[in-house]
C-alpha cells in the first residue's frame, strides 16, 4: 500500500515488524534492469511467509487488515461521488437523461465517447448542409430568378433612357394653310453648383500634381475656357450675376473636401439659373456650343396658332399632361383633343451612356422609334372663318350682346366652311381664357330655337298629304286659344298660304297645322332632320338637345313645338337641317375633316317638297318679309328668322331678353351655301331681322364671291 493510502490511525508494532521483514527480503533479492513501469502485486501476504510469528502477532495482523479494507472502501466511495459530481464517471446508466452534445468530455468510457462524437458529426454536417442550401438558393435568386432586376439596377448606374419628343402634326384649313403648328424651341439653363464643383476640382488637380507640366497646362487651359465672361456674352446677361451665383472663392483649400463642399453654392437657384427661355434653336446654339460646365439645353415643341381668336373654340388648346413625367402637353379641348392620338404621334426612346456626373456621353441604341404626328386638314376656309368672326364681333359689340356665333356649310357636301364664336381668346396666351369665352357655343349650347323651326312644320304638313304649297289657312282674328293659353301673331294676317306663313312667321297658322296632324307628326319630321341627336361632327362636349313627342292630350305642347318652343337644339343642328332642305331633302352629314371620300348621305324628304319650301323661304328676304336685310344683290336668298325669349333660371321666360337666329340659303335657285347666325340677348334691337340677318348678308356675300358662285338674279341699278 502506498504512502498516500495510509490510514489516519497509527499502525501497531506488529505491522512494523512485518514491513521490516519485507524490506530485508527485498535487499536479498538480486537487482534487475528497469524495462517499464513496475507495478506491485495487489495480493495479500501469505500466512506461510509469517510462520515464525507468535499468536499475538496474528491477532494484530487481522485487526490491521480489517481497518485497511474499511479505509479502502471509504476512499473508493468518496471517489465515486466526486466523479459523479465532476462528470468524470461515464457509465450508460448515469448518461441516460443528459444531453450528449453539451456534456463535458468523458474520461473513461470508450463507448460513451464514440456516441458523443457521432452525434456531433451529424449535427455539424446538418448545419453545413443547411447553410450550403441557403447559399445555393440565394445564388439562384440573384443570378437566375431575379437576374433581370439586378441587371437593370446596374444599367441604371451607367445608362439612362431619354425621350425623343415626337413632332405634333399640324392642323390646316381646306387650302393647307396652317391653323396650328408646333414650333421647335429651346431653353438653356445654368447650374452654379456644378460649375463651382468643376472649378474647384481642376484647381485641386493643379495643386496636387506640380511635377506634371503637361497636366498643368491642360488644367490651366480648362480654367481659361471656364471664364464666366464668355458665358455672359453669349447669354446676353451681366457677368456679375453669374459671378454672384457661382460665388467662387480662390482662397479655399481645394485639397480639403469638407472645405470645398462648404464653399459650393447652395439654396434657391444654386442648381437652376435660366439663361435663355423658349428661344429658337439657333439662338440657343450660341450658348450650348460653348460646352460650358453646368450649362444644359432642353429642346421641345410649343404649339402656335397663327389665327388665334377666330379659331380658338374650334381648335381648342394644349394643356400639361399630369401623367407625363417629362411634363408633356396634350390637347385639352376642340380639335386638339378630338384628334389627340392622330396629331401627337408617339415619342421615341433612346438608351444613352452616362458618366459619373450623370452627363450624357453618347447614344447607345434606339429602344422605341419615334412616330411623327399626322396632319389634320379641316374643311374650314380660314378666309371665311376670319370674316365670320369679325362680323360676329361687330354685331356683338354694336348691340351689346352676351355672345354671338355662326356657321357656314357647303350644301353639296355637308362640309363646315366656317364656325366661330365671339367673344374669344388668344389661344397663344391662355391667361386670357375664361370659362365663358372658351365655349364653342354653336356646338355645345342648347336652346329653344323659335320660329326657325316653322319650315319643318310646313314640311310635316306637306309630308302628311293633307296640305300642299297652295293650301290656305285661316288665322283670323290673329290669335288662337289652346288649353287656357292664347297664341298670337304680330297682327291679323287673315287667310294665308304656306309661303305667307313663313314670310310673316305666323304662330297661329303653325298651331292649326300641328293640331290637325297626329301628335307625333311634327316631332317625327324634326327628328328626321337631325334634331334631338348629336351631329356627325362628334365634337368634344357637343350637345344633343331633346325632342319629346307630345301626347294626344298635350294640346298646348303640340302647338308650341310647331313654332320652336318646348324642344332643345344646337345651332349646328339648325345648320344641318337647313342644308338638308337646300340639298333637295338629302341629308349630308356635317363634317369638319377634309376627306377625299364623301360620307354617305340619306334622303329624308321628297325633292319637290324640299325645293318648294326653299322657294317659300325666298319671301322672307323679299320686301314685306322679316329678313329683308339678309338679301344679297344678284342672288336669290331664302331664309327664316327666329326671335325667341330666353329661359329664366327661376322658371318661365324673361320679358326683356331675346335670342335672335337667322338661317339662310344662297343662291335659292341652285343652293350652294347655308349660313346660320345666332345673337344672344342683344340690346336696343331684339328682332333677328335687324341683328342676325345683316351678319348673314355680309358673310354670305363674300363667301359667294370667294367660291365664284354664279349670279341667279339681275343686279339692281342705282
Amino acid at each position: 500500500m502506498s504512502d498516500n493510502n495510509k490510514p489516519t490511525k497509527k499502525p501497531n508494532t506488529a505491522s512494523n515488524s512485518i514491513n521490516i521483514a519485507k524490506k530485508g527480503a527485498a535487499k536479498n533479492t538480486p537487482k534487475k534492469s528497469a524495462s517499464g513501469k513496475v507495478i506491485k502485486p495487489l495480493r495479500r501476504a501469505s500466512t506461510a511467509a509469517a510462520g515464525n510469528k507468535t499468536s499475538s502477532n496474528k491477532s494484530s495482523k487481522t485487526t490491521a487488515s480489517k481497518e485497511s479494507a474499511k479505509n479502502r472502501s471509504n476512499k473508493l466511495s468518496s471517489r465515486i461521488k466526486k466523479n459523479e459530481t465532476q462528470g468524470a464517471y461515464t457509465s450508460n446508466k448515469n448518461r441516460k437523461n443528459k444531453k450528449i452534445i453539451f456534456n463535458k468530455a468523458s474520461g473513461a468510457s470508450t463507448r460513451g465517447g464514440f456516441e458523443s462524437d457521432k452525434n456531433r458529426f451529424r449535427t455539424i454536417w446538418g448545419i453545413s448542409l443547411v447553410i450550403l442550401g441557403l447559399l445555393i438558393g440565394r445564388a439562384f435568386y440573384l443570378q437566375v430568378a431575379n437576374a433581370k432586376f439586378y441587371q437593370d439596377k446596374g444599367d441604371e448606374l451607367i445608362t439612362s433612357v431619354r425621350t425623343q419628343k415626337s413632332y405634333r402634326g399640324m392642323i390646316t384649313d381646306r387650302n393647307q394653310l396652317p391653323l396650328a403648328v408646333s414650333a421647335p424651341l429651346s431653353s438653356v439653363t445654368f447650374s452654379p453648383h456644378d460649375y463651382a464643383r468643376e472649378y474647384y476640382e481642376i484647381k485641386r488637380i493643379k495643386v496636387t500634381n506640380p511635377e506634371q507640366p503637361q497636366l498643368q497646362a491642360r488644367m490651366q487651359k480648362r480654367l481659361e475656357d471656364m471664364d464666366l465672361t464668355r458665358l455672359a456674352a453669349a447669354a446676353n446677361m451681366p457677368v456679375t450675376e453669374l459671378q454672384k451665383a457661382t460665388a467662387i472663392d480662390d482662397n479655399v483649400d481645394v485639397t480639403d473636401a469638407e472645405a470645398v463642399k462648404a464653399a459650393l453654392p447652395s439654396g434657391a437657384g444654386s442648381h437652376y439659373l435660366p439663361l435663355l427661355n423658349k428661344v429658337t434653336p439657333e439662338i440657343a446654339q450660341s450658348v450650348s456650343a460653348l460646352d460650358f460646365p453646368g450649362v444644359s439645353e432642353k429642346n421641345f415643341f410649343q404649339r402656335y396658332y397663327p389665327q388665334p381668336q377666330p379659331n380658338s373654340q374650334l381648335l381648342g388648346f394644349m394643356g400639361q399632361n399630369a401623367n407625363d413625367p417629362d411634363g408633356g402637353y396634350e390637347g385639352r379641348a376642340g380639335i386638339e383633343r378630338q384628334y389627340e392620338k392622330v396629331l401627337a404621334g408617339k415619342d421615341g426612346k433612346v438608351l444613352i451612356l452616362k458618366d459619373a456626373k450623370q452627363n450624357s456621353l453618347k447614344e447607345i441604341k434606339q429602344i422605341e422609334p419615334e412616330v411623327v404626328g399626322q396632319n389634320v386638314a379641316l374643311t374650314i376656309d380660314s378666309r371665311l372663318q376670319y370674316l365670320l368672326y369679325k362680323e360676329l364681333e361687330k354685331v356683338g359689340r354694336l348691340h351689346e350682346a352676351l355672345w354671338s356665333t355662326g356657321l357656314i356649310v357647303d350644301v353639296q357636301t355637308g362640309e363646315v366652311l366656317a364656325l366661330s364664336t365671339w367673344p374669344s381668346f388668344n389661344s397663344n396666351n391662355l391667361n386670357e381664357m375664361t370659362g365663358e369665352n372658351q365655349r364653342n357655343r354653336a356646338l355645345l349650347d342648347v336652346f329653344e330655337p323659335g320660329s326657325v323651326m316653322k319650315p319643318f312644320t310646313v314640311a310635316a304638313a306637306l309630308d302628311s298629304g293633307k296640305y300642299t304649297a297652295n293650301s290656305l289657312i285661316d288665322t283670323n282674328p290673329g290669335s288662337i286659344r289652346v288649353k287656357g293659353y292664347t297664341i298670337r301673331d304680330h297682327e291679323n294676317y287673315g287667310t294665308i298660304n304656306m309661303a305667307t306663313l313663313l314670310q310673316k312667321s305666323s304662330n297661329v297658322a303653325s298651331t292649326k297645322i300641328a293640331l290637325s296632324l297626329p301628335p307625333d307628326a311634327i316631332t317625327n319630321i324634326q327628328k328626321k332632320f337631325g334634331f334631338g341627336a348629336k351631329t356627325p361632327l362628334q365634337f368634344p362636349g357637343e350637345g344633343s338637345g331633346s325632342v319629346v313627342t307630345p301626347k294626344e292630350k298635350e294640346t298646348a305642347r303640340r302647338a308650341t313645338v310647331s313654332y320652336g318652343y318646348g324642344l332643345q337644339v344646337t345651332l349646328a343642328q339648325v345648320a344641318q337641317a337647313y342644308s338638308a332642305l337646300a340639298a333637295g331633302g338629302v341629308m349630308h352629314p356635317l363634317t369638319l375633316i377634309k376627306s377625299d371620300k364623301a360620307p354617305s348621305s340619306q334622303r329624308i324628304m321628297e325633292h319637290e317638297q324640299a325645293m318648294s319650301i326653299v322657294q317659300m323661304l325666298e319671301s322672307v328676304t323679299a320686301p314685306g318679309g322679316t329678313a329683308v336685310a339678309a338679301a344679297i344683290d344678284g342672288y336669290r336668298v331664302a331664309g327664316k328668322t327666329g326671335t325667341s325669349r330666353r329661359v329664366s333660371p327661376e322658371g318661365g321666360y324673361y320679358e326683356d331678353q331675346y335670342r335672335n337666329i337667322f338661317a339662310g340659303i344662297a343662291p335659292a335657285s341652285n343652293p350652294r351655301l347655308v349660313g346660320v347666325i345666332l345673337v344672344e340677348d342683344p340690346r336696343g334691337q331684339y328682332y333677328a331681322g335687324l341683328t342676325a340677318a345683316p351678319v348673314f348678308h355680309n358673310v354670305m356675300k363674300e363667301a359667294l364671291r370667294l367660291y365664284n358662285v354664279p349670279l341667279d338674279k339681275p343686279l339692281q341699278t342705282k
Side-chain angles (χ1 to χ4, degrees):
M1 190 176 295
S2 63
D3 294 339
N4 292 333
N5 294 327
K6 290 180 180 179
T8 55
K9 292 185 179 181
K10 187 175 180 180
N12 54 22
T13 307
S15 297
N16 289 336
S17 300
I18 295 173
N19 289 336
I20 292 171
K22 288 180 180 180
K23 286 180 182 180
K27 286 180 182 180
N28 296 327
T29 305
K31 294 184 179 179
K32 288 185 179 181
S33 59
S35 59
K37 186 176 180 182
V38 180
I39 301 175
K40 287 184 177 182
L42 298 178
R43 58 178 183 169
R44 297 178 181 177
S46 63
T47 309
N52 54 349
K53 298 290 182 181
T54 60
S55 58
S56 60
N57 289 340
K58 290 181 180 179
S59 176
S60 299
K61 179 181 175 183
T62 303
T63 304
S65 297
K66 289 182 179 180
E67 289 179 357
S68 178
K70 183 177 182 181
N71 289 337
R72 285 198 304 271
S73 176
N74 291 337
K75 288 181 180 181
L76 180 60
S77 177
S78 64
R79 185 179 300 166
I80 291 173
K81 290 181 180 180
K82 182 179 180 180
N83 289 338
E84 288 179 350
T85 304
Q86 296 178 353
Y89 187 72
T90 55
S91 67
N92 289 337
K93 180 179 179 180
N94 292 324
R95 290 168 56 89
K96 281 183 180 179
N97 298 326
K98 295 186 179 182
K99 294 182 180 178
I100 296 175
I101 296 176
F102 299 102
N103 278 352
K104 293 183 179 180
S106 60
S109 175
T110 303
R111 177 179 175 82
F114 173 76
E115 290 181 355
S116 176
D117 292 341
K118 181 175 65 175
N119 290 328
R120 288 194 189 94
F121 178 81
R122 290 176 177 174
T123 302
I124 292 172
W125 267 103
I127 294 173
S128 300
L129 290 175
V130 170
I131 294 174
L132 181 62
L134 292 175
L135 292 175
I136 294 174
R138 180 62 175 170
F140 178 82
Y141 174 77
L142 294 177
Q143 300 181 29
V144 180
N146 208 24
K148 186 67 168 60
F149 172 79
Y150 288 99
Q151 289 175 0
D152 294 341
K153 284 295 183 181
D155 290 342
E156 286 179 5
L157 299 177
I158 59 173
T159 63
S160 66
V161 177
R162 185 176 65 194
T163 301
Q164 282 185 332
K165 287 293 183 182
S166 63
Y167 178 80
R168 189 176 182 87
M170 293 192 302
I171 301 176
T172 66
D173 75 345
R174 65 187 299 109
N175 300 314
Q176 300 303 311
L177 294 176
L179 301 178
V181 296
S182 291
L185 296 177
S186 298
S187 290
V188 182
T189 59
F190 177 59
S191 173
H193 183 276
D194 293 345
Y195 173 87
R197 183 179 59 188
E198 182 76 9
Y199 182 89
Y200 291 132
E201 176 63 17
I202 296 174
K203 296 275 286 185
R204 186 193 66 79
I205 295 174
K206 287 189 63 179
V207 171
T208 56
N209 297 277
E211 71 286 352
Q212 301 184 34
Q214 293 183 352
L215 180 61
Q216 291 279 330
R218 289 200 306 269
M219 294 300 103
Q220 183 60 35
K221 180 64 170 59
R222 290 181 62 181
L223 287 177
E224 292 173 359
D225 292 341
M226 292 177 65
D227 187 0
L228 291 173
T229 305
R230 298 176 60 235
L231 181 61
N236 193 23
M237 65 185 305
V239 67
T240 54
E241 184 176 348
L242 296 177
Q243 291 172 346
K244 182 180 179 181
T246 55
I248 296 297
D249 185 2
D250 289 322
N251 297 322
V252 173
D253 182 5
V254 292
T255 60
D256 186 351
E258 293 299 325
V260 171
K261 184 177 180 180
L264 294 176
S266 60
S270 62
H271 290 271
Y272 182 85
L273 179 64
L275 299 180
L276 299 173
N277 187 31
K278 295 182 180 180
V279 297
T280 61
E282 293 77 14
I283 296 176
Q285 180 67 17
S286 63
V287 178
S288 58
L290 296 176
D291 196 19
F292 213 81
V295 172
S296 60
E297 179 183 359
K298 181 179 180 182
N299 299 314
F300 57 95
F301 294 101
Q302 179 167 307
R303 207 63 165 167
Y304 177 70
Y305 302 92
Q307 198 180 73
Q309 280 85 359
N311 300 303
S312 59
Q313 298 97 343
L314 173 62
L315 300 182
F317 56 91
M318 303 289 292
Q320 193 165 13
N321 185 356
N323 298 323
D324 189 347
D326 296 328
Y329 286 78
E330 63 179 355
R332 300 298 292 273
I335 298 296
E336 295 278 24
R337 177 183 174 185
Q338 186 176 4
Y339 294 93
E340 167 64 22
K341 292 183 178 180
V342 177
L343 290 166
K346 186 178 180 182
D347 294 341
K349 293 183 179 180
V350 178
L351 185 66
I352 60 173
L353 183 66
K354 301 184 297 184
D355 61 12
K357 298 178 181 178
Q358 300 301 303
N359 297 318
S360 299
L361 297 179
K362 67 175 182 178
E363 294 183 359
I364 301 177
K365 65 177 180 178
Q366 183 93 27
I367 300 176
E368 293 182 10
E370 174 189 355
V371 179
V372 179
Q374 301 178 31
N375 296 338
V376 173
L378 302 183
T379 60
I380 297 294
D381 188 328
S382 58
R383 301 168 297 175
L384 204 56
Q385 181 84 343
Y386 178 79
L387 179 63
L388 174 62
Y389 176 76
K390 297 307 291 183
E391 290 297 326
L392 293 173
E393 181 183 21
K394 179 180 177 180
V395 71
R397 294 187 184 278
L398 179 64
H399 295 284
E400 300 179 359
L402 293 179
W403 64 79
S404 55
T405 185
L407 295 90
I408 306 296
V409 178
D410 189 326
V411 169
Q412 299 173 358
T413 62
E415 294 178 341
V416 179
L417 302 178
L419 191 163
S420 192
T421 299
W422 174 88
S424 184
F425 64 96
N426 183 355
S427 44
N428 295 315
N429 180 15
L430 297 184
N431 292 327
E432 298 181 5
M433 185 179 67
T434 65
E436 292 296 318
N437 63 21
Q438 70 168 310
R439 288 185 65 82
N440 192 332
R441 297 192 178 275
L443 298 174
L444 271 63
D445 287 8
V446 295
F447 53 88
E448 289 183 318
S451 296
V452 291
M453 298 300 294
K454 288 175 181 175
F456 306 103
T457 299
V458 174
L462 299 179
D463 185 66
S464 68
K466 292 184 177 182
Y467 296 88
T468 66
N470 298 319
S471 297
L472 300 177
I473 302 171
D474 185 8
T475 64
N476 288 301
S479 62
I480 185 174
R481 192 79 174 169
V482 178
K483 286 288 184 178
Y485 296 95
T486 301
I487 299 173
R488 294 186 175 85
D489 286 336
H490 292 290
E491 58 182 276
N492 184 5
Y493 301 122
T495 301
I496 59 176
N497 60 15
M498 294 292 181
T500 306
L501 182 158
L502 296 176
Q503 182 187 35
K504 299 299 182 180
S505 193
S506 173
N507 293 336
V508 174
S510 298
T511 299
K512 287 192 172 183
I513 290 174
L515 296 179
S516 66
L517 299 177
D520 60 350
I522 303 294
T523 55
N524 285 346
I525 285 292
Q526 291 173 346
K527 291 177 180 179
K528 274 188 177 181
F529 277 89
F531 295 105
K534 291 183 179 181
T535 68
L537 298 176
Q538 296 299 313
F539 195 79
E542 180 181 357
S544 60
S546 64
V547 175
V548 180
T549 301
K551 297 178 181 179
E552 178 72 32
K553 296 181 179 180
E554 294 178 325
T555 309
R557 185 163 190 163
R558 291 169 60 188
T560 57
V561 166
S562 69
Y563 54 84
Y565 284 87
L567 69 158
Q568 299 285 328
V569 304
T570 66
L571 195 66
Q573 290 173 348
V574 176
Q576 180 177 248
Y578 272 79
S579 296
L581 275 179
V586 177
M587 174 71 76
H588 297 295
L590 294 185
T591 178
L592 276 168
I593 305 301
K594 189 68 177 174
S595 175
D596 296 333
K597 183 180 179 181
S600 59
S601 302
Q602 180 184 3
R603 175 166 293 281
I604 58 176
M605 191 177 185
E606 294 295 331
H607 180 270
E608 293 77 10
Q609 293 178 349
M611 295 311 298
S612 67
I613 295 175
V614 172
Q615 292 176 5
M616 295 177 196
L617 290 173
E618 284 189 65
S619 62
V620 175
T621 63
T626 58
V628 178
I632 300 173
D633 190 16
Y635 294 96
R636 293 166 54 186
V637 177
K640 184 70 187 78
T641 56
T643 301
S644 59
R645 295 182 182 274
R646 298 184 70 229
V647 176
S648 172
E650 299 177 356
Y653 297 90
Y654 287 110
E655 293 293 330
D656 59 346
Q657 295 185 22
Y658 298 88
R659 179 180 298 107
N660 296 168
I661 304 176
F662 180 81
I665 303 169
S669 60
N670 184 21
R672 174 68 190 280
L673 300 174
V674 164
V676 182
I677 308 297
L678 182 150
V679 182
E680 188 77 5
D681 191 24
R683 295 297 171 175
Q685 299 290 346
Y686 61 87
Y687 287 114
L690 301 176
T691 57
V695 176
F696 171 87
H697 166 85
N698 295 336
V699 176
M700 189 59 69
K701 181 176 66 174
E702 291 299 320
L704 294 170
R705 181 184 65 82
L706 286 173
Y707 287 93
N708 297 317
V709 178
L711 300 175
D712 66 341
K713 179 182 177 182
L715 293 170
Q716 293 181 356
T717 57
K718 295 184 181 178

